């Protein structure tokens, strides 16, 4: 499932949202190995580097050099650590897409929030250019950890969101660099990213059950590559799950929104409750109908 | 501690400057016959090496235009004899003998470093005498001696590239450097000008001659800062995808799923 031609990008909005793409040289996908440890130290100024060179009768360039080691006293404020990152020597800038949800981003960055301070960390997936072969393969074979994104001039060629290599960014520093956003997801692309992220993180959701219901079709086919008739049966279960996804997602989000409107803005509870209940009842009836149809379809192949 | 150039050389270094091999000694002997090189101080045979010392300003004898300066060769000889006659020279010669005795094979850089370390006061006094002689040569004949300092940056195809302390770099024939050339070696470039002719002589720097560990540290730092960026392996060797595609696919084309419009990750709830 990839972002097709219709899932285009849009300009970043006022607030940082799920799916926003940032561009900066410091957006490295940091990860640990068993040699990771906290380190102290600091920068040796360029003119002192030259002096150090003179002591050794050698010519060193006047550039500041970072000297960090676990033998230097650690500083809680810095919390430097020796870690690792993907190695891209030919990339001056790096792109990353926000995969923390918009509510979390709003809280961490104090967007439409009061009585809070910027704090916490937000989760990003690096966006890197793949080869043409890889990109095409990802569009034909779903890889939960890698989502091929819609092409855009602001992104590397054949852009792929590497969900399997996520890293976190300090909200205080992200707040200082919201102007480094280059793109934002449209609603369609955001939903694609959300479904892909859910599949990667929890093996649930539309992208995950699409694969699992196909496995059901394989079983129904007697352990052989499924025919269209087999897929039609397993697809009935997928439709039930589509409906459940909408119930848990759209319907309960609407409930959450109504709750806020009533509690925060003082709107009429009865009016909102009635509408929400009507929507839930309709969805549950739809779900029941689909579930019954699927149960019958499965029973027929029992 | 400031770097300094050696104020003495031996016949072996002169032979190097004159082309080395069999040609160098022959040229040196010719220059001596023509009275362009003064008599050296022969301080003996140590470790099967005959050591013959010259003051640094004897290098002027290698510059062709010296013959055009009337009286200059004779002055060179006189000044050489005078410096050899100083009491301090015998102390210096003893230090050279001792240092040469402890060496396994001839290493001019180690010799000057050793002498500078173990006979500091004699070296200082000798340096002053040599400087005075060079000053006289300059005053009387316009012969100039100047020293530039640097570090061997790299050796490539028989050429030695020296990064100068004053900035920039110069290239020399590695065979004409009076020390085994290695990266990180601190050198002194003695520039001797006689009338319109100038010759450069590359020797190990003395006071700041780095020991082997200092050279190793310098080499490490220079290497770290100048090393070309390694090429990234393609694809990332430890980042292979863990996806396992199923050995079968849908026959009926993509399913028209009805799950869109149910996002929970894009809405910002109302403010607190």
């Amino acid at each position: 499932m990839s972002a097709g031609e219709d899932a285009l990008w849009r300009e970043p909005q006022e607030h940082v949202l799920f799916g926003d793409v940032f561009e900066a040289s410091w957006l490295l996908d940091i990860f640990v190995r068993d040699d990771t440890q906290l380190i102290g130290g600091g920068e040796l100024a360029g003119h002192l580097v030259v002096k150090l060179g003179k002591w050794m009768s050698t010519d060193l360039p006047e550039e500041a050099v970072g000297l960090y080691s676990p033998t230097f006293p650690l500083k809680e404020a810095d919390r430097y650590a020796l870690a690792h990152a993907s190695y891209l020597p030919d990339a001056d800038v790096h792109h990353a897409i926000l995969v923390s949800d918009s509510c979390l981003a709003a809280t961490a960055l104090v967007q439409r929030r009061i009585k809070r301070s910027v704090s916490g960390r937000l989760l990003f997936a690096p966006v890197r250019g793949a080869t043409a072969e890889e990109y095409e393969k990802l569009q034909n074979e779903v890889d939960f950890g890698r989502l091929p994104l819609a092409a855009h001039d602001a992104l590397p060629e054949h852009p792929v969101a590497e969900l399997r290599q996520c890293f976190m960014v300090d909200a205080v520093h992200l707040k200082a660099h919201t102007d480094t956003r280059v793109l934002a997801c449209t609603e369609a692309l955001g939903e694609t990213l959300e479904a892909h992220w859910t599949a990667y993180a929890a093996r649930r959701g539309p992208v995950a059950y699409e694969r699992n219901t196909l496995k059901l079709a394989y079983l129904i086919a007697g352990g052989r590559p499924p025919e269209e008739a087999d897929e039609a049966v397993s697809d009935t279960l997928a439709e039930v799950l589509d409906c459940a996804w909408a119930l848990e997602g759209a319907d309960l989000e609407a409930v959450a929104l109504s709750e806020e409107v009533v509690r925060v803005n003082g709107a009429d509870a009865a009016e909102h409750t009635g509408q929400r209940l009507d929507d839930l009842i309709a969805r549950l009836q739809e779900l029941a109908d689909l579930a019954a149809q699927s149960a019958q379809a499965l029973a027929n192949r029992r | 501690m400031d770097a300094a150039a050696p104020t003495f050389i031996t016949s072996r270094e002169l032979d190097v400057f004159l082309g080395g091999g069999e040609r160098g000694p022959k040229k040196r002997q010719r220059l001596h016959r023509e009275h362009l090189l003064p008599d050296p101080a022969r301080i003996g045979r140590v470790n099967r090496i005959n050591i013959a010392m010259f003051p640094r300003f004897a290098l002027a004898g290698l510059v062709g235009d010296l013959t055009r300066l009337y009286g200059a060769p004779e002055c060179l000889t006189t000044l050489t004899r005078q410096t050899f006659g100083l009491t301090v020279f015998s102390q210096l010669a003893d230090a050279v003998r001792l240092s040469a005795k402890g060496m396994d094979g001839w290493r001019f850089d180690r010799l000057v470093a050793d002498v500078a370390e173990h006979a500091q006061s004699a070296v200082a006094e000798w340096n002053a005498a040599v400087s005075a002689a060079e000053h006289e040569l300059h005053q009387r004949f316009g012969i100039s001696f100047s020293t530039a300092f640097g570090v061997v940056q790299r050796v490539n195809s028989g050429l030695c590239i020296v990064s100068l302390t004053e900035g920039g770099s110069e290239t020399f024939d590695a065979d004409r450097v009076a020390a085994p050339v290695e990266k990180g070696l601190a050198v002194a470039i003695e520039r001797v000008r006689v009338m319109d002719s100038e010759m450069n002589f590359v020797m190990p720097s003395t006071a700041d001659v780095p020991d082997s560990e200092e050279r190793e540290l310098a080499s490490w730092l220079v290497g770290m800062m100048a090393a070309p960026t390694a090429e990234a392996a393609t694809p990332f060797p430890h980042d292979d995808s863990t996806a396992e595609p199923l050995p079968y696919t849908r026959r009926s084309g993509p399913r028209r799923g009805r799950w869109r419009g149910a996002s929970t990750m894009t809405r910002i709830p109302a403010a607190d």
Side-chain angles (χ1 to χ4, degrees):
Chain A
M1 183 180 298
S2 67
E5 288 298 320
D6 296 330
L8 298 176
W9 298 97
R10 61 175 179 171
E11 288 297 307
Q13 306 298 295
E14 178 190 358
H15 297 302
V16 173
L17 298 172
F18 168 78
D20 280 1
V21 178
F22 287 71
E23 177 186 278
S25 62
W26 48 271
L27 283 171
L28 295 170
D29 60 330
I30 304 295
F31 61 94
V32 301
R33 287 181 176 162
D34 63 5
D35 60 353
T36 293
Q37 49 189 329
L38 289 170
I39 52 179
E43 255 192 9
L44 189 65
H47 69 279
L48 294 180
V49 172
V50 174
K51 184 67 176 177
L52 182 66
K54 283 197 163 68
W55 285 346
M56 296 181 289
S57 300
T58 193
D59 193 26
L60 294 178
E62 190 170 345
E63 295 171 8
V65 170
L67 294 177
Y68 299 96
S69 166
T71 57
F72 293 136
L74 307 178
K75 295 176 198 168
E76 184 182 353
D78 292 334
R79 298 199 231 175
Y80 288 131
L82 178 68
H84 301 269
S86 292
Y87 191 68
L88 300 172
D90 58 339
D92 292 332
V93 293
H94 302 272
H95 297 83
I97 189 166
L98 179 65
V99 293
S100 289
D101 70 84
S102 297
C103 178
L104 186 57
T107 303
L109 300 173
V110 189
Q111 297 174 156
R112 291 174 53 188
R113 290 286 187 272
I114 56 174
K115 298 179 183 176
R116 285 185 183 272
S117 56
V118 177
S119 67
R121 304 176 198 171
L122 294 173
L123 191 67
F124 282 82
V127 176
R128 286 199 282 268
T131 63
E133 293 75 22
E134 270 183 311
Y135 191 71
E136 184 180 354
K137 186 179 177 188
L138 287 170
Q139 288 176 317
N140 296 323
E141 292 175 12
V142 174
D143 183 338
F144 290 176
R146 312 184 71 190
L147 173 65
L149 299 171
H152 193 281
D153 289 343
L155 299 176
E157 194 179 9
H158 306 128
V160 174
E162 302 282 3
L163 304 179
R164 62 196 176 132
Q165 292 172 346
C166 283
F167 60 97
M168 300 207 87
V169 177
D170 189 319
V172 170
H173 288 256
L174 194 67
K175 184 78 173 179
H177 295 282
T178 56
D179 59 345
T180 63
R181 290 178 296 161
V182 292
L183 291 172
C185 284
T186 58
E187 185 177 325
L189 182 53
E191 286 186 331
T192 300
L193 176 63
E194 180 175 339
H196 221 93
W197 171 247
T198 311
Y200 173 71
R203 292 299 191 262
R204 301 183 68 134
V207 171
Y209 62 67
E210 195 71 39
R211 179 179 165 95
N212 286 337
T213 52
L214 182 61
K215 291 179 179 177
L216 177 62
Y218 170 84
L219 290 175
I220 291 171
R224 288 187 292 273
E227 301 287 342
E228 290 189 23
D230 306 314
E231 290 167 8
V233 173
S234 64
D235 283 353
T236 62
L237 181 57
E239 286 160 17
V240 172
L241 296 173
D242 287 347
C243 188
W245 180 260
L247 172 62
E248 184 196 352
D251 298 339
L252 287 183
E253 275 289 289
V255 167
L257 180 60
S258 289
E259 186 269 353
E260 289 162 19
V261 166
V262 168
R263 176 171 56 83
V264 176
N265 298 343
D268 179 33
E271 181 187 333
H272 279 268
T273 304
Q275 186 61 54
R276 295 288 77 78
L277 290 177
D278 288 344
D279 292 341
L280 287 169
I281 291 166
R283 185 76 74 187
L284 286 168
Q285 286 174 338
E286 181 188 2
L287 184 62
D289 292 340
L290 289 170
Q293 290 170 25
S294 183
Q296 185 61 57
L298 294 177
N300 292 343
R301 298 298 297 268
R302 175 71 173 81
Chain B
M1 193 161 49
D2 292 330
T7 50
F8 69 87
I9 50 176
T10 74
S11 55
R12 297 178 74 89
E13 285 68 57
L14 284 183
D15 291 344
V16 167
F17 294 146
L18 289 169
E22 293 181 1
R23 189 176 48 166
K26 285 181 181 172
K27 268 188 162 177
R28 174 170 52 83
Q29 286 154 15
R30 177 178 61 77
L31 290 172
H32 184 245
R33 283 197 302 274
E34 293 172 359
H35 305 292
L36 293 172
L37 267 182
D39 291 335
R42 300 184 191 283
I43 64 170
R45 187 174 174 83
V46 181
N47 277 344
R48 291 184 287 179
I49 298 173
N50 288 319
I51 304 178
M53 291 178 65
F54 294 84
R56 180 176 64 192
F57 55 79
L59 291 171
L62 275 61
V63 185
D65 278 357
L66 188 71
T67 55
R68 295 168 56 196
L69 290 171
Y70 180 77
E74 291 78 11
C75 183
L76 204 65
T77 298
T78 303
L79 289 172
T80 299
R81 197 178 301 129
Q82 286 175 354
T83 52
F84 285 161
L86 297 170
T87 307
V88 70
F89 178 73
S90 64
Q91 296 168 11
L92 185 71
D94 286 343
V96 169
R97 247 183 246 112
L98 194 63
S99 177
K101 201 173 176 181
M103 286 198 306
D104 183 18
W106 184 257
R107 282 287 299 253
F108 187 54
D109 56 331
R110 290 188 185 151
L111 181 82
V112 295
D114 209 39
V115 169
E117 185 182 351
H118 294 111
Q120 286 182 21
S121 58
V123 167
E125 195 176 334
W126 166 257
N127 287 352
V130 167
S131 294
E134 289 173 352
H135 181 72
E136 184 172 339
L137 286 168
H138 179 67
Q139 290 287 101
R140 290 179 59 181
F141 303 102
I143 298 171
S144 71
F145 301 86
S146 63
T147 313
F149 297 96
V151 173
V152 174
Q153 203 66 30
R154 66 181 186 277
V155 182
N156 192 13
S157 303
L159 295 176
C160 168
I161 295 108
V162 176
S163 174
L164 300 175
T165 305
E166 64 199 25
S169 63
E170 283 190 37
T171 303
F172 304 94
D173 189 333
D175 291 341
R176 299 293 187 99
V177 177
V181 179
E182 51 192 43
K183 185 176 174 178
L185 176 71
V187 295
I189 302 160
E190 195 65 33
R191 306 189 201 278
V192 181
R193 174 171 281 275
V194 178
M195 296 188 75
D196 297 326
S197 300
E198 180 178 291
M199 288 182 73
N200 296 328
F201 305 96
V202 186
M203 294 180 281
S205 172
T206 53
D208 261 1
V209 173
D211 62 26
S212 61
E213 284 180 332
E214 286 169 340
R215 283 201 295 273
E216 185 180 351
L217 179 58
S219 181
W220 183 87
L221 265 176
V222 169
M224 279 291 161
M225 297 178 81
T229 303
E231 290 295 321
T234 51
F236 307 119
H238 302 296
D239 292 338
D240 292 336
S241 171
T242 55
E244 294 177 7
L246 296 173
Y248 47 87
T249 56
R250 284 182 68 88
R251 289 190 183 232
S252 50
R255 185 179 72 88
R256 284 186 165 275
R258 293 173 54 215
W259 55 269
R260 289 192 177 269
S263 171
T264 58
M265 296 186 75
T266 55
R267 186 176 68 85
I268 300 179
D272 291 339

